Amino acid sequence: MLAHLSPQTMLTIKRYGYWLWMLFVLAVPFSYLQAQGSELPNLWAFFTPIVVFGVIPLLDALLGRDPANPEEGAEVDALSEQTYYRWLSLLSVPMLLGLIGWGGWVFATNELWSWAGQLGWLLSIGTVTGGIGITVAHELVHKDPKLEQNAGGLLLAAVCYAGFKVEHVRGHHVHVSTPEDASSARFNQSLYQFLPHAYLHNFLNAWKLEAERLKRKNLPVFSHHNELIGWYGLSALMAVGFGIAFGWIGVAYFLGQSFVAFTLLEIVNYVEHYGLHRRKLDNGRYERTTPEHSWNSNFLLTNLFLFHLQRHSDHHANAKRRYQVLRHFDDSPQLPNGYAGMVVLALVPPLWKAVMNPRVRAYYAGEEHQLSENQQAA
């Protein structure tokens, strides 16, 4: 549908299309307002995840893929230096924090909903804080400026997943698509086998990596020098704040939306690297990370919502690239839909394996032996 558009036209569309993230944020108060006076208030509480995981995959398929890459050299350099894109991502931080706070007030005071409506509200808030909040945090923690680093840490603290700031950059990006990386799903591993290990590994490996960093600097692990203590401490303060404001139900809300958010993150991790692996070289090391080691999804709509996160192949090959200049590679393994659709598919392991296992085998055609026991789930 978009193939006839010129690269310059697409770049202009995307320049303003990245504002679409605000629709997800605004969908939550919209659903709350619609629930008032409705005969089905509980259903309106589920509005955001219904749109994200029901409507967006259909629109992805309808609109199709993004045909444009920025030209290397002058165009990439110019786009990378434009502060417009940087401030656009930073703008989401206060809006998302405000949404979390307001959402807690609604959760604690709204009497329209039964337990089902409250569950829907947690899923709605968590879908936004996970889908938009952690995506923005991911973009920011990969950048060097302190403002972006701290903004990314703040978003992660707001969903109780500060370990991602350390483990993702210093762990996942080093070991991606190898058996050493718990955030890279093995061939034939179900989502429900993957998630418990991913939760635990994110926390434990973050502490291990931070302790190693401090040891190299001859600094104590349990001190203000440990950034994880600061970020997890901030999460605890947020939980206390919700408790003071709304009682135990405020704490339950804060922890509940956090769980939804970081679970959505780990499901996306599952999707991004399922079954792919870096070959082990004769010297015992793994081959360098290339665009071949992440599933790519070039569907335009979800890429606009997610700041080009779906051009994940280029991100892993060039982690410092800013989202506006990430490229699509035709020879990278390609997902059949955007992340929203793939998340739904991953929740049903037989369907996921029926769709994705043939793609993994086709990608490694002629070297199926690479899908060895150490690459597969036990």
Side-chain angles (χ1 to χ4, degrees):
M1 185 174 179
L2 302 167
H4 67 285
L5 297 178
S6 71
Q8 284 303 317
T9 300
M10 282 305 306
L11 288 175
T12 301
I13 289 172
K14 289 194 287 187
R15 177 180 177 85
Y16 301 104
Y18 291 124
W19 285 93
L20 284 174
W21 65 266
M22 290 189 67
L23 293 182
F24 279 167
V25 177
L26 296 175
V28 181
F30 171 80
S31 66
Y32 171 72
L33 292 174
Q34 292 300 117
Q36 308 304 308
S38 170
E39 294 182 358
L40 298 169
N42 288 328
L43 184 61
W44 278 108
F46 288 87
F47 174 76
T48 300
I50 288 173
V51 170
V52 171
F53 300 112
V55 177
I56 296 300
L58 298 177
L59 292 178
D60 264 335
L62 179 65
L63 287 176
R65 295 172 172 85
D66 174 6
N69 274 339
E71 292 182 7
E72 287 301 308
E75 196 169 56
V76 166
D77 291 342
L79 281 171
S80 298
E81 293 303 316
Q82 289 186 24
T83 57
Y84 165 84
Y85 294 99
R86 198 172 310 174
W87 287 107
L88 177 57
S89 58
L90 288 168
L91 175 65
S92 70
V93 177
M95 292 192 67
L96 289 163
L97 295 176
L99 178 70
I100 293 171
W102 174 77
W105 172 78
V106 171
F107 188 82
T109 61
N110 185 23
E111 298 179 353
L112 287 174
W113 295 329
S114 67
W115 67 266
Q118 289 183 314
L119 174 62
W121 192 246
L122 286 177
L123 290 173
S124 291
I125 298 291
T127 295
V128 177
T129 56
I132 304 300
I134 296 183
T135 295
V136 172
H138 169 264
E139 169 72 16
L140 296 175
V141 299
H142 273 289
K143 304 305 177 283
D144 294 326
K146 275 289 186 183
L147 175 62
E148 291 174 286
Q149 282 280 317
N150 289 333
L154 184 58
L155 286 174
L156 292 169
V159 294
C160 301
Y161 222 53
F164 180 81
K165 185 177 187 296
V166 171
E167 203 286 325
H168 178 81
V169 176
R170 295 186 236 156
H172 174 60
H173 269 261
V174 174
H175 300 295
V176 64
S177 295
T178 73
E180 282 74 27
D181 181 37
S183 293
S184 297
R186 312 290 178 256
F187 179 70
N188 217 38
Q189 184 179 31
S190 79
L191 175 65
Y192 305 104
Q193 291 171 311
F194 170 84
L195 282 176
H197 187 45
Y199 293 144
L200 184 62
H201 175 85
N202 182 282
F203 179 80
L204 294 180
N205 202 42
W207 278 98
K208 176 184 175 184
L209 291 167
E210 184 65 355
E212 289 172 352
R213 181 186 73 87
L214 293 171
K215 185 178 180 180
R216 288 194 299 269
K217 294 186 173 185
N218 293 317
L219 295 170
V221 173
F222 293 96
S223 69
H224 69 278
H225 299 289
N226 187 327
E227 69 167 310
L228 291 176
I229 291 177
W231 293 122
Y232 280 122
L234 182 57
S235 296
L237 285 176
M238 290 179 179
V240 169
F242 276 98
I244 292 172
F246 308 118
W248 69 266
I249 198 168
V251 178
Y253 158 81
F254 178 68
L255 297 178
Q257 67 85 26
S258 295
F259 178 78
V260 174
F262 64 68
T263 296
L264 181 55
L265 160 69
E266 294 297 356
I267 297 174
V268 169
N269 273 337
Y270 176 84
V271 167
E272 287 171 339
H273 303 287
Y274 175 80
L276 301 177
H277 57 269
R278 287 152 60 194
R279 297 163 184 84
K280 205 163 195 178
L281 305 176
D282 292 339
N283 62 8
R285 298 191 176 195
Y286 293 99
E287 62 182 329
R288 67 178 293 271
T289 306
T290 73
E292 298 179 355
H293 300 123
S294 306
W295 288 98
N296 205 59
S297 179
N298 203 34
F299 288 87
L300 175 67
L301 184 60
T302 307
N303 258 331
L304 292 177
F305 278 120
L306 298 182
F307 296 92
H308 263 169
L309 179 67
Q310 296 182 142
R311 289 189 166 183
H312 208 61
S313 298
D314 196 15
H315 167 69
H316 265 280
N318 303 279
K320 291 290 185 180
R321 270 189 178 246
R322 291 190 175 271
Y323 68 89
Q324 66 268 25
V325 294
L326 288 173
R327 299 158 296 174
H328 166 73
F329 295 97
D330 287 330
D331 55 354
S332 297
Q334 304 295 318
L335 293 171
N337 197 256
Y339 279 4
M342 300 310 295
V343 165
V344 175
L345 199 65
L347 294 173
V348 188
L351 289 178
W352 171 266
K353 292 178 182 180
V355 171
M356 292 302 296
N357 281 9
R359 283 174 165 79
V360 175
R361 292 191 181 99
Y363 195 71
Y364 290 107
E367 51 178 317
E368 288 86 355
H369 63 279
Q370 292 283 347
L371 299 174
S372 57
E373 288 301 318
N374 68 335
Q375 299 291 344
Q376 299 188 35

